[in-house]
Amino acid sequence: MRHNAVYTPYHPRWHRTRVSTYWWLGRWSYFLFILRELSSIFVAWVVIYLLVLVAAVSKSAVRYQQFLDWSRNPFMLSLNILSLLFIVLHAVTWFNLAPQAMVVHVGGRRLPGSLIAISNYAGLVAVSIVILGLLLIRW
Amino acid sequence: MYARRPIEPLLWLFFSAGGVMAALFFPAILFLFGIAFPLGWLAPPNYDHLLAVVSHPLTRLVLLGVCSLSLFHWAHRFRYTLYDGLQIKHLNESINAICYGGAVLGTLTAAYLLWKVP
């Protein structure tokens, strides 16, 4: 034991290497991670866009037409194309990760992860068909 | 540490449910109203048709669930993006207020707008 130890009133700080704010630019997998995390901003944007549409439709036919004209504006169009790319990134990463988050047992056996991922994509196809059918087919 | 935030599992549940909702519903909706209709690839539904779809009680209920859960998904994920990406965890009080408060406000707005559909 050392006898010349110096005591200070404060707890010593642990050594931590400082991580740059831009750590996620260093590697492609980190960058993809941050892109996936940023997709949430576009999820929020789609909610806002959808609610603007609902508000327009509940007002009048004129307001609905104004919404359609607004959506043709180059800025809105670019924003929505970018948003769709992020939404697709979100959907793909989400569905591919689902088998790791969801463990389903049937008859005492664990279902293979690929089956869970496939059923998620089947859900996407089913919901998309219902939406297309509701909006495009005149009944 | 864990007992202090008993709400955390619930927030994670909303995050997870919202992630599923956004992944299932938004590709088709955004493709149609954001790209296919504006570019004229497909003809948008006429007003009466769309009003009939939106004013159906089931549509309103589904839209409310999708909007609300997706906003909580945003809140949770965006919160951690700010923590990890910008390393500003020391601002967590205000970040939480903005994220989850925004999701609650958005849910109330969605409920009001969907209630008002004729």
Side-chain angles (χ1 to χ4, degrees):
Chain A
M1 198 147 172
R2 291 168 64 196
H3 294 282
N4 56 351
V6 181
Y7 296 98
T8 60
Y10 304 106
H11 193 278
R13 284 168 154 270
W14 306 123
H15 173 69
R16 279 192 189 153
T17 43
R18 283 193 63 83
V19 178
S20 152
T21 305
Y22 306 103
W23 58 268
W24 39 272
L25 282 175
R27 201 185 278 181
W28 171 241
S29 60
Y30 296 165
F31 185 59
L32 201 65
F33 162 79
I34 225 74
L35 283 185
R36 192 194 75 191
E37 296 300 291
L38 285 177
S39 71
S40 69
I41 296 174
F42 296 93
V43 168
W45 160 245
V46 178
V47 174
I48 294 169
Y49 192 62
L50 191 57
L51 289 177
V52 171
L53 171 63
V54 167
V57 171
S58 63
K59 273 271 160 41
S60 65
V62 177
R63 292 293 283 273
Y64 174 50
Q65 190 53 50
Q66 280 172 354
F67 175 88
L68 291 177
D69 294 340
W70 179 60
S71 71
R72 259 181 239 120
N73 157 332
F75 174 76
M76 293 305 296
L77 201 53
S78 336
L79 176 61
N80 283 330
I81 290 171
L82 182 68
S83 302
L84 188 64
L85 293 175
F86 272 95
I87 293 292
V88 169
L89 176 71
H90 164 72
V92 170
T93 51
W94 193 265
F95 290 151
N96 290 348
L97 219 63
Q100 287 163 48
M102 254 167 70
V103 177
V104 184
H105 290 272
V106 174
R109 283 175 154 225
R110 183 178 170 178
L111 282 189
S114 55
L115 204 66
I116 293 171
I118 287 171
S119 65
N120 275 309
Y121 283 106
L124 172 66
V125 171
V127 169
S128 301
I129 287 174
V130 169
I131 292 171
L132 288 169
L134 278 175
L135 292 175
L136 296 180
I137 298 171
R138 286 156 201 267
W139 2 264
Chain B
M1 261 318 245
Y2 287 107
R4 213 157 52 87
R5 305 212 49 156
I7 199 177
E8 203 69 23
L10 192 69
L11 292 176
W12 196 88
L13 191 72
F14 284 164
F15 160 74
S16 173
V20 176
M21 291 300 152
L24 288 178
F25 285 83
F26 288 174
I29 291 176
L30 190 60
F31 172 73
L32 289 178
F33 283 102
I35 294 168
F37 297 154
L39 287 179
W41 293 349
L42 293 164
N46 65 37
Y47 180 70
D48 295 329
H49 178 145
L50 189 58
L51 185 62
V53 171
V54 175
S55 64
H56 192 282
L58 197 61
T59 314
R60 294 195 221 191
L61 208 61
V62 169
L63 281 181
L64 180 60
V66 169
C67 287
S68 175
L69 289 171
S70 298
L71 285 175
F72 277 97
H73 171 84
W74 162 77
H76 201 67
R77 190 167 242 182
F78 191 56
R79 177 186 148 201
Y80 284 104
T81 310
L82 293 178
Y83 287 177
D84 299 335
L86 299 179
Q87 300 184 17
I88 47 176
K89 195 158 184 169
H90 54 283
L91 298 175
N92 67 353
E93 300 271 311
S94 37
I95 290 175
N96 287 353
I98 291 168
C99 290
Y100 298 116
V104 170
L105 268 182
T107 300
L108 293 176
T109 310
Y112 173 75
L113 288 173
L114 288 163
W115 182 258
K116 290 272 280 183
V117 175

